Amino acid sequence: MTGVPPAVLPSMNQPLVPRILRPRRAAPADAVRPTRADINLEALRHNLRVVRKQAGAARVWAVLKADAYGHGAPAVARTLERDRRVDGFCVALLEEGVELREAGIVAPILLMGGHFGNAHEEVIARGLVPVVHDAEPIAAFARLVRAGIASGPIEVHLKIDTGMARLGVTMQALPALAARLAEYPEVRVRGLMTHLACAEDAADVETAEQIARFEEATALLRRHGVNLDVRHAASSAALLRGQALFDAVRPGISLFGVSPRLGGGAGEPITKDLKAVMRVRTEIIAVRVLETGAPVGYGATWRAPGPARIATLPMGYADGLSRQLGNRGHVLVRGKRAPIVGAVSMDMAMIDVTAVEGAAVGDEVVVLGPQEGPLGRDAISANELAERAGTIPWEILTSISRRVPRFYREP
Ligand SMILES: *Cc1c(COP(=O)(O)O)cnc(C)c1O
């Protein structure tokens, strides 16, 4: 990506019609509820330093899709941009790129999702770099230049499907596409990217095959006179393992303090140097004493095995506390673990605080992150939540919903 700030991009003939959806999120100023996410900006910068070092000479493009993995894309982007160790950003959607531009971000932004509807003009007007995966958007961008709406050449990155069957030109379709590129001198393929399907696998068979195909695609495009400035393939797992670094890397989850695991799921984290950025906390809003056998929650899926103290939390699955954690997950109260009991409901969940001495209304409850209290200290990681909920930490972080206000902390 070239790093041309939007201010120096060609002005458009017509005023832009505001058409991009801007999701409203709960803001700290609105926050009455005690359920919130604290975002530790120093931990974010620490993780960027780790990633930067690991990337060596490669450029670092921070992946901030899905509202920066639930951390709030504008604030995260501003923090990273100010730090100067980041060279650009990647998002999935045009809407996400627009949100960053409106937040004042001037660094290059790559739109990885490859779908622009009929908003190609907006992509250029916002100074965003599109990823293309077939001839149709290349033709659409070329038409903008021919119509005098944008000045060319327009920089795009071409995505190659080297073995994931998700997005990208297939190796079979590449020769025909490469031959057609000369028809569109208004568009310049400056970047070549692919995505690795099995970067966490210790064996690396698929990764080696994918890299070989990527090199093949590179050679083919160069034979067609395509001058590639930058090639990129690595997300966090490959980056942390020092694989497929090429000219730029695209770390996402590692910036937020979660290391992918070797072999996936229950494997060892690839690095232990990262620090969790998000901490999700709430407070007990009610406590009741139950007799032996008394039921808790929808469907009475839990019954008190003896006299029990049950506390209610104002956080439910609509906030991102997975329903899978009912009768399975834990939270921290007064520095000690307490089990989630009964079904998690939309806005609330119940925990068993029978063994948490002194637990009372107003006590802080930590759902994700560390807590220190009179009864000890402990931490709940995104990995633990993922294992208990039968998912991956990426889904845990991105599930913390917009109903949970984010508070940015400089500890
Ligand atoms: C999400 C994504 C990344 C970042 O992946 P992490 O595992 O979170 O580091 C990089 N590249 C592409 C194409 C992606 O979709």
Side-chain angles (χ1 to χ4, degrees):
M1 291 181 281
T2 48
V4 181
V8 302
L9 282 156
S11 65
M12 313 299 288
N13 293 345
Q14 298 153 323
L16 274 176
V17 185
R19 57 195 303 206
I20 302 298
L21 177 73
R22 283 173 208 94
R24 213 189 81 82
R25 297 191 185 87
D30 306 338
V32 173
R33 67 183 320 206
T35 303
R36 58 191 196 218
D38 290 324
I39 309 297
N40 182 331
L41 297 176
E42 179 45 40
L44 177 68
R45 284 191 293 267
H46 166 86
N47 298 334
L48 177 60
R49 287 193 289 274
V50 172
V51 158
R52 171 75 271 170
K53 195 161 166 228
Q54 184 67 26
R59 279 170 255 179
V60 173
W61 294 338
V63 178
L64 303 188
K65 59 193 177 183
D67 198 25
Y69 293 50
H71 295 65
V76 167
R78 275 189 216 114
T79 304
L80 296 177
E81 191 174 60
R82 229 178 274 140
D83 192 87
R84 293 174 181 281
R85 284 181 186 84
V86 81
D87 302 290
F89 299 107
C90 300
V91 292
L93 309 181
L94 170 58
E95 289 87 332
E96 294 171 333
V98 168
E99 183 181 29
L100 292 184
R101 284 288 181 250
E102 295 202 332
I105 297 301
V106 297
I109 299 174
L110 186 69
L111 306 179
M112 300 192 299
H115 180 79
F116 313 107
N118 53 7
H120 299 81
E121 194 180 324
E122 181 128 16
V123 173
I124 303 311
R126 298 287 189 169
L128 305 167
V129 179
V131 169
V132 298
H133 57 99
D134 59 26
E136 185 271 323
I138 297 176
F141 286 116
R143 280 196 297 274
L144 289 183
V145 179
R146 288 175 198 174
I149 293 170
S151 64
I154 290 175
E155 173 193 356
V156 302
H157 289 209
L158 179 63
K159 185 158 187 187
I160 309 289
D161 176 6
T162 55
M164 188 161 167
R166 190 173 76 170
L167 196 72
V169 197
T170 61
M171 295 304 283
Q172 295 88 320
L174 185 61
L177 180 71
R180 284 190 62 190
L181 287 176
E183 294 170 31
Y184 306 108
E186 301 85 357
V187 173
R188 197 180 146 207
V189 177
R190 290 195 59 181
L192 194 69
M193 72 180 283
T194 193
H195 196 51
L196 302 172
C198 303
E200 296 172 22
D201 280 8
D204 293 330
V205 181
E206 281 86 358
T207 298
E209 283 174 9
Q210 286 197 264
I211 291 174
R213 288 188 200 109
F214 196 49
E215 295 289 9
E216 213 181 296
T218 304
L220 185 124
L221 287 162
R222 289 198 169 133
R223 280 201 298 280
H224 280 85
V226 179
N227 204 348
L228 298 168
D229 294 339
V230 54
R231 296 190 301 153
H232 47 108
S235 56
S236 295
L239 166 62
L240 293 172
R241 298 181 65 198
Q243 295 174 335
L245 301 187
F246 294 104
D247 307 306
V249 294
R250 308 187 305 263
I253 194 108
S254 49
L255 290 170
F256 303 106
V258 178
S259 171
R261 298 179 160 233
L262 212 51
E268 277 295 299
I270 299 169
T271 174
K272 295 198 164 114
D273 294 342
L274 304 170
K275 294 181 183 168
V277 174
M278 188 191 295
R279 181 175 183 270
V280 179
R281 55 87 75 197
T282 183
E283 287 171 14
I284 293 175
I285 57 164
V287 177
R288 69 203 67 240
V289 174
L290 298 187
E291 289 170 10
T292 306
V296 169
Y298 282 124
T301 62
W302 189 85
R303 285 176 187 275
R309 294 184 83 227
I310 300 300
T312 301
L313 312 180
M315 181 172 188
Y317 59 77
D319 299 300
L321 184 66
S322 170
R323 205 167 164 280
Q324 301 301 319
L325 295 170
N327 295 322
R328 226 172 285 164
H330 290 154
V331 297
L332 305 176
V333 187
R334 295 170 68 78
K336 190 174 174 185
R337 275 172 187 261
I340 298 173
V341 292
V344 173
S345 49
M346 188 185 293
D347 317 301
M348 284 179 260
M350 279 71 84
I351 59 173
D352 179 4
V353 291
T354 312
V356 183
E357 205 178 301
V361 169
D363 279 356
E364 182 192 71
V365 176
V366 168
V367 170
L368 170 65
Q371 189 192 48
E372 207 175 328
L375 303 180
R377 69 194 291 183
D378 205 339
I380 292 176
S381 67
N383 261 307
E384 174 184 336
L385 288 174
E387 269 169 45
R388 290 185 188 273
T391 182
I392 54 174
W394 288 258
E395 187 175 0
I396 295 293
L397 295 178
T398 56
S399 295
I400 303 300
S401 76
R402 68 194 179 111
R403 204 165 72 161
V404 178
R406 273 66 170 170
F407 285 70
Y408 295 94
R409 306 284 187 204
E410 291 284 3

